[in-house]
Amino acid sequence: MNIIIHKKKLIIILLSIAFLISVYSLYYFWVHKVYFIGSDAYYYWSMADSFAKSGSFMDMTILPNEPSRTVQVGIVFIHLILSKIGVTGESRFIFIMFFYYFLHLSTIYPINQIAKRIGLTELLPRVFLIAAFIGAWHIYDLQLKLNNEGIFNSLSIWFIYLLVVIYQDIADLKVSSYFSIKNKFFWVLIITGLLSYVLILFRLQL
């Protein structure tokens, strides 16, 4: 009984510390405007403005303007969507930073599920894993900057989780069962297929 109580206390302490570090990381990035650091943020924003004005992806941060040198234009579409709904200026940077942050937190679920599926059946080891991930300061340096990594890294974790589900749960099902929209595995396959295309926009270098 005492062991169980100590484990519960340890879990609460670990998760509390991890989430405090996580929230402080967001606060630090927000207050110190870290999202302004780096040329990539302005590069992608300029391409979004270029596409909105001329229909072509041009780098407007240099003169003369040049065509985009990368196919990693996923964040450009996020800029375009935000511009359409009236989110402009620094507010757009802040919006994307918060979006990336909550997308990062959403990966707690797939990380926990993957860990369970590969053999970490006890809660405490999974809590250590989640706490290490959520409480890692250096990860936020990658996740909250306004480039493609923030969304690519998080969606990749979800993608891996769906692949694990396909391998472990779907592989032995009859093919005919895949095509029923009432079957949850149908939607797993659809979402996995969509992610396989979407992820390319955020991290593919030719």
Side-chain angles (χ1 to χ4, degrees):
M1 188 67 178
N2 289 332
I3 295 176
I4 295 175
I5 294 174
H6 287 312
K7 279 188 176 181
K8 287 183 178 179
K9 288 182 178 179
L10 181 58
I11 288 171
I12 292 172
I13 292 171
L14 285 171
L15 292 179
S16 297
I17 293 173
F19 277 102
L20 281 174
I21 294 173
S22 175
V23 172
Y24 178 74
S25 299
L26 176 66
Y27 173 78
Y28 181 90
F29 268 71
W30 187 10
V31 171
H32 294 277
K33 302 182 185 293
V34 180
Y35 46 79
F36 279 136
I37 297 175
S39 60
D40 283 355
Y42 305 98
Y43 172 71
Y44 292 120
W45 191 339
S46 74
M47 282 202 293
D49 288 344
S50 170
F51 186 83
K53 294 176 182 178
S54 64
S56 59
F57 293 109
M58 301 290 289
D59 179 4
M60 298 174 66
T61 62
I62 59 175
L63 293 174
N65 301 156
E66 294 181 356
S68 170
R69 298 184 297 275
T70 178
V71 295
Q72 300 173 23
V73 293
I75 192 174
V76 175
F77 293 106
I78 295 177
H79 277 294
L80 288 170
I81 292 170
L82 292 177
S83 68
K84 292 294 184 182
I85 62 176
V87 181
T88 59
E90 185 179 352
S91 297
R92 190 188 299 179
F93 277 33
I94 295 172
F95 185 97
I96 295 175
M97 182 192 69
F98 272 90
F99 172 67
Y100 279 4
Y101 176 75
F102 287 111
L103 189 62
H104 178 67
L105 291 187
S106 77
T107 60
I108 292 174
Y109 178 80
I111 288 173
N112 181 55
Q113 292 300 312
I114 292 171
K116 287 170 63 176
R117 286 172 175 270
I118 64 174
L120 289 179
T121 55
E122 292 189 16
L123 179 59
L124 187 57
R126 301 202 307 273
V127 169
F128 272 107
L129 178 64
I130 292 169
F133 179 74
I134 296 301
W137 165 270
H138 64 281
I139 291 181
Y140 293 96
D141 187 49
L142 295 173
Q143 293 298 93
L144 299 185
K145 287 184 178 177
L146 303 192
N147 48 37
N148 289 291
E149 280 77 5
I151 195 167
F152 176 82
N153 294 336
S154 297
L155 290 184
S156 293
I157 293 174
W158 278 99
F159 184 65
I160 292 169
Y161 165 63
L162 293 176
L163 290 178
V164 172
V165 171
I166 290 173
Y167 176 75
Q168 292 187 345
D169 297 348
I170 301 181
D172 295 330
L173 295 178
K174 293 181 180 179
V175 176
S176 58
S177 65
Y178 298 167
F179 301 101
S180 172
I181 60 174
K182 295 181 180 180
N183 190 330
K184 68 176 183 179
F185 295 126
F186 171 82
W187 297 107
V188 168
L189 291 172
I190 293 295
I191 295 172
T192 305
L194 288 174
L195 283 178
S196 68
Y197 285 99
V198 170
L199 286 171
I200 292 174
L201 295 175
F202 292 90
R203 180 50 68 198
L204 176 65
Q205 188 68 55
L206 298 179

